[in-house]
Every structure is written in C-alpha cells, then in structure tokens.
Amino acid sequence: MSALTVVQVGYGVTTQDLGRPGLSDMGLGAAGPADRGSAALANRMVGNRPHAAVLEALLGSVALRTDAHVVAAVTGAPCPVSIERADGRVRGAAAYEVLLLEPGDTLRVGLPKDRLRAYVAVRGGIAVEPVLGSRSWDSLAQLGPAPLSAGDVLPVGPAVRGATATTDGRATAGDGLGVGPWPVVDAVPPPLLPRPGDPVVLDVVPGPRDDWFTPDWRATLTGQDFHVTPDSDRVGVRTTADASLVRAVTRELPSEGVETGSLQVPPAGFPVLFLADHPVTGGYPVVAVLTPESVDRAAQLRPGDTLRFRIAR
C-alpha cells in the first residue's frame, strides 16, 4: 500500500469523508467536510467513489511527500500549488488540476488569498483507520482520526475503477477491477468568487422558528451586511451586524434537533450558521436554514468577511 508522509502542517489539517450520519441518538453529529461540494469535486477529479476520505486543510499550508505514483487534486480555497521533486527541483502545478505525482515528490499547498478551506484528494482515498465507521474528525465531539501532525504517515487506499480515459482523452467506462492510467479530466474551472469587497450571498429558507421573531425579521436579516467573527470554526460561522434580530416569543425553547445550515439565533440576536460539526440539538430558535450550496459557501468564509442573506425563491 502506498503512503503519504506529512512534511508540513500549517493552520490545521483533518481527514474527512462523508461522515457518520445516523448517530444523533448517541449525541453525535455527522461531521464530514465543511464544504461538501469542494470535497466531492476533488474525489471526482481523481476518480474516487464519493465515500473516499480527503484532507481538509485550513488556509491550505500543507505539504505531503509520496512514496509511489499518485494521482491528486486540490480544490476549495484557490491555493498556490507546487510539486517538488526528490532532487529539489520544482515544477508548476495548480489547484483544480489533476496532478500526477512520482515517488519522492512533495505536493505543497500554500496560503490562499481568499476563502478558507482547501481539499486534497488522492486516488484511492486517505485510508486511516475509521472510527465508528467514518474517517472524519469531529471537532465538537473530539472523535475520529486526529488532526494531522508533521511526520504522520497516511496510507493511501487501493484505487477502485470508475471512469477512465482513452489515449485521445475520451472518457470510457471502467470494468470495476482497478483504476485506469488516465484521469477523465486534467483540470476543471475554479468556482466564481465575489469581486473583492463584495459580500458573499447566502440563500436561506425561512423557518422552522421564524414565528418566534418580530415581523420585521426578514428585513433585518436580508437588508444589511453581516460580518464573520473570529470565534467561527467547524461548528458554526458566528456573525455580527448593526441591527440584531428581535424575539417576539421570549420564553425558553426546549432543546430540539438542528440541521447543518441552521441559522440559530442566540440572545444577542446575531445568527450562528451551523456547519459540519454542529451539536445535534439546540435551545435557541432557528430562524432559517441555508440551502446546501450556501452551506458550502459559508464554510469558506473567513473572520472579517462580509455576507448577506437572501430568501430563496
């Protein structure tokens, strides 16, 4: 089995797969990638099945040395990417490209200018030992394979044949026995980002507790800029703004189940946007829920970023 050695870790790197849904009766959330779309894209680019584990790197800043031929891809935050040969020579590479690594190569992912989380996939997936059926690190429950440290050795799983490509680049179906020698694509377009200074727009669906707020809650939520506070993490994006949401119902709300993307409103009146490691229950009312695409956008917000909410049609 091939392996990757962690040469450098910057702001924090964890292993994430599709998570461990269905364990809320044990008080455990699903975890998984904060930006599921970017993680899924990385897996598709290298020919993995959806459940393969990837690396989630906060602000990029990770370096991995391979001992075998490896197919890799980096998505999410648009990080600078390079491949360093064993003799020290460096060849160009980029995020959102399929990368072909040779034994002794070091894949270096640098600090992005914007967005927060990068995803590194390798063909075969990161094959660390699962915990309760998942290779996801849950920062709230402190459960799963531990965050990476320099010197860690990460096994790479056996590749599973999906689609391969012919020598002229045309995609063809695999036979289910292994992996083809060519990726289906060599690059994909990076996502469109807001212009510098423009707020990130997040779509929400009202409820389930929007009736716990005064009738002007929609205008308050959608009519002003919100800003991401420094205490945001994989549990949730915490926000502040000029005007807070005002409760119409002031009695205590019994704890109830909450979903990823919920906008829970604590007493200060500024929403907390629940991400992958959110608690399974909450005692503050949820005024609205992000659409799945907006959850991914929220997962890429940095402290200080500006966002606006929009009611989904």
Side-chain angles (χ1 to χ4, degrees), residues 114-295:
D114 50 40
R115 307 186 82 197
L116 185 61
R117 294 179 168 93
Y119 292 86
V120 181
V122 295
R123 185 174 294 186
I126 304 297
V128 294
E129 284 297 316
V131 177
L132 291 179
S134 172
R135 295 181 170 93
S136 290
W137 167 251
D138 184 331
S139 63
L140 183 65
Q142 296 288 291
L143 180 75
L148 272 55
S149 298
D152 287 350
V153 177
L154 307 175
V156 176
V160 177
R161 180 170 299 235
T164 63
T166 61
T167 52
D168 63 1
R170 293 180 294 107
T172 182
D175 60 10
L177 299 178
V179 124
W182 305 285
V184 174
V185 298
D186 58 8
V188 299
L192 294 175
L193 301 175
R195 292 178 300 180
D198 285 356
V200 174
V201 178
L202 303 179
D203 292 314
V204 301
V205 178
R209 296 294 181 182
D210 53 308
D211 58 345
W212 278 52
F213 295 87
T214 56
D216 62 351
W217 74 265
R218 289 175 182 253
T220 303
L221 187 69
T222 63
Q224 63 176 335
D225 289 344
F226 286 79
H227 304 282
V228 179
T229 65
D231 53 349
S232 300
D233 52 23
R234 276 181 49 90
V235 174
V237 176
R238 292 162 175 82
T239 68
T240 188
D242 291 336
S244 60
L245 277 70
V246 178
R247 292 264 297 264
V249 179
T250 57
R251 67 177 184 273
E252 290 292 322
L253 175 69
S255 290
E256 56 187 4
V258 290
E259 294 289 338
T260 302
S262 295
L263 272 63
Q264 190 183 70
V265 184
F270 303 115
V272 177
L273 287 56
F274 279 157
L275 298 181
D277 291 354
H278 68 84
V280 297
T281 62
Y284 299 128
V286 172
V287 69
V289 180
L290 295 171
T291 63
E293 296 80 6
S294 290
V295 172

